[in-house]
Each structure stands twice: as structure tokens, then as C-alpha cells.
Amino acid sequence: METNFKTILKAAVVKIYYLPALKGKAESINKLLTANGVQSNLDTAPYDISHSNNQVVYYNDPQLDYSKAALSLLNKNGWPNFELRKSSKANVSTQFFKIYLTS
């Protein structure tokens, strides 16, 4: 099971969006993800996300396993307050999923 988990993470591509005040937390999460093989990068939120909870957002069904693996990794490493959500732009073919860091 652990081998499958690591294989899934190595195939994941993530963009982490964060509020400017949370840059340190975003960098910590990015370091955790990349240390586990995830292709991850950071960016400040392109719009106001302060009204949202911390979220792992995926676009299409094939990304669900990657999103769940990333969520599990976050939870196991002291980041338990993330929720998994399917994007309102579901079924868009994009190679990455998003993590929103709002608190």
C-alpha cells in the first residue's frame, strides 16, 4: 500500500495558491509535497480566496486519486484541516490540481 501511495504521489502535479500572509506555511507544504515526489509549485492566489477553507481541489476524475493521496499526506503530517472538493469547472482537462491555503 505504501509503495502505491508513493507511486501515486510521484505522478501528481499540484499548484499551491496561498494568501500572502501564509507564505511560510505554503513553503512548508510545498517542501513536504516535493520531498514525497510531487511536482509542486507555489503562487499567491489570483483572486480573493479568504472566504474559503483550506482545500484540495481537483478538476477531473483521474485526478481524484492524486488529490486523495496529497490530502492523506497533508493529514498525516500535521495539516488536518483540508477538505477535498471537485472543481466547479469539473472535467476540464488540466494536468494539475490545486491546493488552496487560506488559514
Side-chain angles (χ1 to χ4, degrees):
M1 184 70 164
E2 188 68 26
T3 304
N4 288 345
F5 183 74
K6 289 187 184 266
T7 301
I8 289 171
L9 286 173
K10 287 181 181 173
V13 180
V14 180
K15 289 192 178 186
I16 301 170
Y17 292 103
Y18 60 92
L19 297 173
L22 300 173
K23 184 175 183 179
K25 286 183 179 182
E27 288 171 343
S28 294
I29 288 173
N30 189 54
K31 185 176 179 182
L32 171 67
L33 292 172
T34 57
N36 284 276
V38 177
Q39 299 173 56
S40 173
N41 62 33
L42 298 168
D43 202 353
T44 53
Y47 49 86
D48 184 18
I49 60 171
S50 62
H51 62 282
S52 303
N53 296 321
N54 290 339
Q55 297 178 352
V56 176
V57 179
Y58 66 100
Y59 287 97
N60 48 52
D61 291 336
Q63 292 174 336
L64 179 57
D65 287 342
Y66 305 131
S67 302
K68 284 181 178 178
L71 180 64
S72 178
L73 181 65
L74 291 169
N75 288 338
K76 288 180 183 178
N77 287 278
W79 301 94
N81 61 343
F82 280 83
E83 60 185 35
L84 185 64
R85 183 175 73 79
K86 189 166 188 174
S87 173
S88 59
K89 296 178 182 174
N91 300 319
V92 171
S93 77
T94 183
Q95 68 177 30
F96 62 88
F97 62 93
K98 296 178 183 178
I99 292 178
Y100 290 119
L101 181 61
T102 62
S103 62

